[in-house]
């Protein structure tokens, strides 16, 4: 029945994984999403189901107990999950980014220490770049690690950690004194272990509580305060300081494909709701889908869903082929998140007054879509990345 957002050339294993996830989403996520979201309730049963399916280890290599699947498989899984409820994709996204950073940049000891337990969902990852005074301008990070007898002491405040309270391993980007001229060369990623929960969870490290958000509920987003927090030197990702910016940018590059996939998922759901409602609701003696103004909206929405999906798939495949995908991931994230906001808005309009009622799913999607315009870099930042890449490749000979 589903004609939109199909992907050509998938392997049998990819098809099988997607079919399993699609069934899980239809049976275990969509029927519960409204109640859990309105109650701002953590989807514990759904998360357990994802653990059982092995989704926490989807991209972790088989030698560490994962399924060893590609970024494309992951992105298509995320698209399905976000179609059910975006917050559930938020639970695995930061975990996936941290696993990717460990896989690509961790020392052999760090990989052995964390990846098997991450694949099992016992260790759950979050990542932290943003601070109260900066998000886009990552190189301006102020939280600082200084050398101490134990290794390093960290002081400062981080902001907007998705899964900050429900993770037990956070990759944190902080300033170290490398003496490098460029600010981004003075940044280091630390692997901070902590128990789940809120308050002063270990000496010198406080997770103050959940930030009350407009949407994206159920999943926790928190601050993280370091006050004389001691950490061993072997918790530096990759074992070498001054490489943190590069590590994090690699992480958010795959994260951007994932945000694009989430936007595709929400847009698909908004379209599904609109095309269904528009055939049921009647005005002036016929279904509203028979009014050309509404039929044309559906046509435009479907075209946007399709275009965003294809660009997301393209960016994922490029990364899987071993090439850098900064421009393509930026383009996919830009178009998918902007189209998602537009498609969701159109679906809302098609629902008339009922779209404003909390009984209808579109009300939730309307509050979720705006986050995708911001997370993993705003649209303005994507345009900066895209134009920089293009100017690099199309240098004028004049
Ligand atoms: C729900 C939620 C979850 C999040 N989860 C995480 C997380 O897990 N980990 C994490 O590290 N961060 C997380 N973030 C933070 C997120 O990445 C930042 O909010 C985002 O990067 C934007 O940064 P900012 O909020 O500081 O906005 P600012 O950087 O202050 O930007 C404000 C405005 O100015 C524009 N702007 C900024 N610089 C430029 C420029 N050079 N040119 C043109 N326009 C510009 C921006 O596009 C934006 O419109 C999360 C945010 C939210 C809302």
């Amino acid at each position: 029945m589903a004609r939109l957002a199909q992907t050509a050339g998938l392997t049998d294993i990819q098809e099988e994984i997607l079919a399993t996830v699609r069934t899980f989403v239809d049976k275990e996520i969509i029927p519960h999403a409204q109640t859990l979201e309105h109650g701002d309730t953590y989807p514990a049963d759904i998360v357990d189901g994802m653990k059982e399916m092995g989704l926490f280890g989807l991209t972790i290599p088989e030698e560490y107990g994962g399924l060893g699947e590609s970024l494309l498989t992951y992105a298509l899984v995320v698209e399905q999950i976000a179609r059910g409820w975006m917050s559930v994709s938020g639970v695995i996204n930061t975990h996936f980014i941290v696993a990717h950073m460990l896989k690509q940049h961790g020392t052999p000891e760090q990989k052995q220490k964390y990846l098997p337990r991450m694949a099992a969902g016992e260790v759950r990852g979050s990542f932290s770049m943003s601070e109260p005074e900066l998000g886009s301008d990552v190189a301006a990070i102020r939280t600082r690690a200084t050398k101490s007898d134990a290794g390093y002491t960290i002081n400062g405040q981080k902001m907007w950690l998705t899964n900050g309270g429900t993770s037990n391993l956070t990759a944190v980007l902080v300033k170290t004194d490398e003496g490098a001229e460029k600010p981004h060369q003075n940044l280091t990623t630390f692997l901070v272990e902590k128990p789940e929960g809120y308050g002063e969870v270990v000496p010198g490290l406080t997770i103050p509580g959940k930030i009350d958000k407009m949407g994206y509920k159920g999943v926790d987003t928190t601050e993280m305060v370091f006050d004389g927090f001691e950490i061993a030197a072997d918790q530096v990702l990759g074992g070498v300081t001054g490489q943190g910016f590069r590590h994090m940018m690699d992480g958010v590059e795959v994260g951007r494909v994932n945000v694009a996939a989430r936007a595709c998922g929400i847009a698909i759901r908004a379209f599904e709701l609109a095309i269904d409602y528009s055939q049921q609701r009647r005005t002036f003696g016929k279904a509203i889908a028979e009014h050309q103004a509404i039929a044309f909206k559906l046509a435009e929405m479907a075209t946007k869903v399709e275009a965003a999906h294809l660009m997301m798939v393209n960016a994922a495949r490029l990364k899987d082929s071993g090439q850098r995908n900064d421009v393509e991931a930026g383009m996919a994230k830009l178009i998918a998140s902007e189209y998602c906001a537009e498609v969701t808005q159109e679906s809302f309009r098609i629902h008339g007054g009922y779209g404003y009622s909390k009984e209808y799913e579109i009300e939730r999607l309307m509050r979720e879509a705006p986050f995708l315009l911001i997370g993993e870099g705003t649209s303005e930042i994507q345009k900066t990345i895209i134009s920089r890449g293009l100017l690099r490749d199309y240098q004028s000979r004049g």
Side-chain angles (χ1 to χ4, degrees), residues 236-256:
V236 169
L237 179 65
V240 186
T241 57
Q243 301 295 313
F245 186 81
R246 191 172 62 82
H247 296 158
M248 282 281 176
M249 289 307 120
D250 185 34
V252 294
E253 219 165 274
V254 291
R256 277 177 192 141

Side-chain angles (χ1 to χ4, degrees), residues 143-317:
T143 299
R144 182 181 282 273
T146 47
K147 284 216 165 112
S148 69
D149 292 344
Y152 289 87
T153 306
I154 305 182
N155 284 293
Q157 191 175 349
K158 302 302 255 180
M159 184 74 189
W160 296 119
L161 277 87
T162 301
N163 300 307
T166 47
S167 58
N168 45 15
L169 178 69
T170 309
V172 187
L173 190 62
V174 303
K175 206 168 173 176
T176 40
D177 297 309
E178 312 299 324
E181 199 185 313
K182 298 197 171 145
H184 72 271
Q185 292 168 343
N186 292 309
L187 297 175
T188 298
T189 304
F190 281 88
L191 299 167
V192 174
E193 284 187 36
K194 65 173 190 65
E196 292 177 32
Y198 302 94
E200 191 172 36
V201 287
V202 280
L205 173 54
T206 301
I207 306 290
K210 284 164 57 165
I211 297 169
D212 195 11
K213 295 166 296 191
M214 162 184 171
Y216 200 23
K217 294 197 180 262
V219 61
D220 51 294
T221 306
T222 72
E223 295 172 50
M224 187 180 222
V225 182
F226 294 98
D227 184 9
F229 175 73
E230 295 290 337
I231 187 162
D234 60 9
Q235 292 301 101
V236 169
L237 179 65
V240 186
T241 57
Q243 301 295 313
F245 186 81
R246 191 172 62 82
H247 296 158
M248 282 281 176
M249 289 307 120
D250 185 34
V252 294
E253 219 165 274
V254 291
R256 277 177 192 141
V257 174
N258 156 81
V259 173
R262 279 201 235 181
C264 291
I266 292 184
I268 291 168
R269 187 66 187 155
F271 172 79
E272 286 173 355
L273 295 173
I275 199 159
D276 187 45
Y277 186 82
S278 64
Q279 292 170 82
Q280 292 172 25
R281 181 70 175 175
R282 296 179 70 79
T283 66
F284 301 94
K286 53 185 172 184
I288 58 171
E290 290 173 37
H291 298 299
Q292 194 183 51
I294 300 295
F296 277 17
K297 275 189 199 293
L298 294 172
E300 285 175 15
M301 289 159 74
T303 307
K304 287 176 180 171
V305 165
E306 200 63 2
H309 175 82
L310 292 172
M311 288 189 70
M312 179 273 288
V313 167
N314 179 53
R317 283 198 159 130

Side-chain angles (χ1 to χ4, degrees), residues 94 127-130 134-137 159-162 213 216 221 371 374-378 380-381 384:
T94 60
F127 80 96
S128 172
M129 295 194 290
S130 305
L134 64 99
S136 308
D137 190 4
M159 184 74 189
W160 296 119
L161 277 87
T162 301
K213 295 166 296 191
Y216 200 23
T221 306
F371 167 61
I374 293 165
E376 314 275 334
T378 62
E380 289 73 27
I381 295 305
T384 308

